[in-house]
Amino acid sequence: MSKIPVTVITGFLGAGKTSLLNQLIKNHSEKKFVVIENEFGEENIDSELVTNINDQNLFELSNGCICCNLYTELFLVLENLIKTNHNFNHLLIETTGIADPGNILASFISDPGIKAKFELDSVICLVDAANATQDLKNEEVLNKQIAIADTLIINKIDLATNETVNKLSSKLKEINPTASLHKTSQSDIKDKQLLDVYAYNPQNIYQFLFSVEGQTNSKHEHSIENFCFKSDRPFNQMKLAAWLDAFLQFNSDTIYRVKGILNISGVDNRILLQSVHTQIQATVGRPWTNDNKESKIVFIGKTLNREVLEKNLLELCD
Ligand SMILES: Nc1nc2c(ncn2[C@@H]2O[C@H](COP(=O)(O)OP(=O)(O)OP(=O)(O)O)[C@@H](O)[C@H]2O)c(=O)[nH]1
């Protein structure tokens, strides 16, 4: 029996991983995908953002990072897929924005049961054209994500000048000279073939895991933290928009990512909120039914003041 190809999608917070996941699912209707979504926050909001896949084929691993404390859970999901003979022919894994993909790849090269069933197809790293130059200076993990990938996609080129994109391309080639490099907007890879390329060279994995990290399953501390605010009181749209705008401008160095499912006064549908640094996007989601209309907002960044955030956000509710 042929092995199931595995594509790992990595890249720093907000670089466009979920957007790419959706593009791949849309462009490959001939495939039966299983998707494993890992989200750093306690609440998995990304699964709301993944489209065109049914719930049985979407596995969510939340409240941690599969490269460290959720490693065992990833393992269990993979084992379960094997045991139950789940009907699929391609596995897509989206890591958190702060994951070191080396430990995840280790599952696919070190466990005999998993190796017998799965084969690493490719590791794709999304790189944010607007923010990566800065993030590369501050976030060692972004360097690792780039170094271990076989395919690099500079995304969000609509938000950066040609000069910035060209300098970033040179930087990426310095870090990883052997990876293929693409440039996109909205992670739209058009006709480029990213699946079934079997581009991953196992030699590179071993080199990375053993010579750089020294061991296959090293734990590390993330200086990046997350805070999840929940409330069943509806938000006042005007107050929330004004606060969020000011808050992100003021904290642009420390707040990397905000994601939320919002209950807004007078609105029948969920509002899906996203921000990356100071760029904010709100889209209309599924209608609320009779379920509990609970808003959830996850903040990811450094030195989060939870008490102040909680107090501020409660003041924005009606
Ligand atoms: N302007 C612009 N926005 C983009 C582009 N690609 C993605 N976005 C937006 O950027 C935000 C983050 O995109 P995602 O695809 O969720 O990024 P991600 O890497 O999955 O984010 P995390 O899971 O939080 O790490 C969303 O609001 C997207 O709509 C792009 O090329 N240009």
Side-chain angles (χ1 to χ4, degrees):
M1 204 180 71
S2 58
K3 295 184 186 182
I4 305 275
V6 181
T7 302
V8 177
I9 302 175
T10 186
F12 201 58
L13 294 161
K17 298 180 291 298
T18 307
S19 305
L20 177 70
L21 195 70
N22 285 330
Q23 290 280 343
L24 291 172
I25 296 169
K26 191 179 89 187
N27 293 349
H28 290 274
S29 53
E30 80 285 1
K31 280 193 175 277
K32 285 188 194 134
F33 287 108
V34 156
V35 172
I36 298 180
E37 265 288 339
N38 179 212
E39 189 154 16
F40 185 53
E42 185 186 332
E43 295 296 328
N44 199 319
I45 289 167
D46 273 356
S47 54
E48 283 279 332
L49 306 173
V50 178
T51 49
N52 293 322
I53 189 134
N54 62 39
D55 288 351
Q56 294 77 38
N57 288 335
L58 179 60
F59 295 82
E60 302 161 9
L61 302 177
S62 331
N63 201 19
C65 189
I66 44 178
C67 75
C68 11
N69 56 325
L70 286 179
Y71 184 77
T72 318
E73 280 170 53
L74 170 67
F75 214 72
L76 291 177
V77 171
L78 295 174
E79 265 195 346
N80 198 38
L81 287 169
I82 296 169
K83 273 196 202 138
T84 57
N85 276 328
H86 201 91
N87 182 19
F88 69 115
N89 57 21
H90 203 111
L91 173 62
L92 297 172
I93 301 180
E94 179 184 342
T95 72
T96 69
I98 53 170
D100 172 354
N103 288 336
I104 299 156
L105 305 189
S107 325
F108 294 95
I109 56 168
S110 60
D111 182 81
I114 290 172
K115 256 179 19 183
K117 175 84 179 174
F118 297 98
E119 182 166 10
L120 261 182
D121 179 18
S122 156
V123 178
I124 303 172
C125 177
L126 274 295
V127 181
D128 182 333
N131 295 306
T133 308
Q134 188 59 32
D135 291 338
L136 272 165
K137 290 183 192 143
N138 302 328
E139 306 297 343
E140 180 54 27
V141 77
L142 173 57
N143 290 270
K144 288 185 182 173
Q145 292 169 345
I146 291 166
I148 206 162
D150 56 78
T151 304
L152 298 170
I153 300 178
I154 300 184
N155 185 41
K156 301 195 176 179
I157 55 171
D158 55 307
L159 297 180
T161 61
N162 283 343
E163 193 192 349
T164 305
V165 173
N166 290 339
K167 278 192 184 154
L168 184 57
S169 305
S170 306
K171 182 77 192 158
L172 299 190
K173 284 194 179 124
E174 270 173 36
I175 301 172
N176 185 342
T178 59
S180 62
L181 180 62
H182 308 287
K183 295 167 191 170
T184 60
S185 203
Q186 304 298 338
S187 302
D188 183 358
I189 29 85
K190 298 207 167 61
D191 52 357
K192 297 193 183 67
Q193 193 185 346
L194 296 188
L195 301 184
D196 300 325
V197 289
Y198 296 98
Y200 208 76
N201 175 354
Q203 213 45 46
N204 291 342
I205 309 174
Y206 282 104
Q207 234 171 315
F208 184 84
L209 291 173
F210 296 110
S211 66
V212 181
E213 288 285 39
Q215 51 185 323
T216 52
N217 191 17
S218 62
K219 292 198 187 258
H220 61 269
E221 296 293 322
H222 293 303
S223 59
I224 299 171
E225 41 185 320
N226 76 86
F227 164 68
C228 180
F229 170 85
K230 292 186 204 175
S231 170
D232 38 23
R233 284 172 53 198
F235 277 110
N236 178 296
Q237 185 173 354
M238 301 288 275
K239 282 190 201 169
L240 177 66
W243 177 83
L244 194 61
D245 199 35
F247 173 75
L248 292 175
Q249 293 291 344
F250 197 70
N251 295 288
S252 60
D253 290 344
T254 50
I255 302 293
Y256 296 127
R257 192 83 168 102
V258 178
K259 290 193 262 192
I261 299 169
L262 306 181
N263 172 13
I264 303 277
S265 280
V267 177
D268 293 334
N269 290 49
R270 295 164 166 82
I271 298 298
L272 305 177
L273 169 78
Q274 301 212 56
S275 88
V276 179
H277 291 266
T278 53
Q279 294 132 24
I280 305 173
Q281 189 193 62
T283 48
V284 178
R286 289 183 292 133
W288 293 104
T289 44
N290 290 331
D291 43 1
N292 180 14
K293 293 184 173 182
E294 188 184 51
S295 295
K296 296 170 192 167
I297 310 186
V298 176
F299 296 82
I300 300 175
K302 285 183 171 167
T303 56
L304 302 177
N305 191 329
R306 290 149 195 264
E307 277 160 33
V308 172
L309 276 171
E310 176 101 23
K311 183 170 169 293
N312 285 351
L313 287 162
L314 281 173
E315 284 168 2
L316 307 172
C317 295
D318 281 335

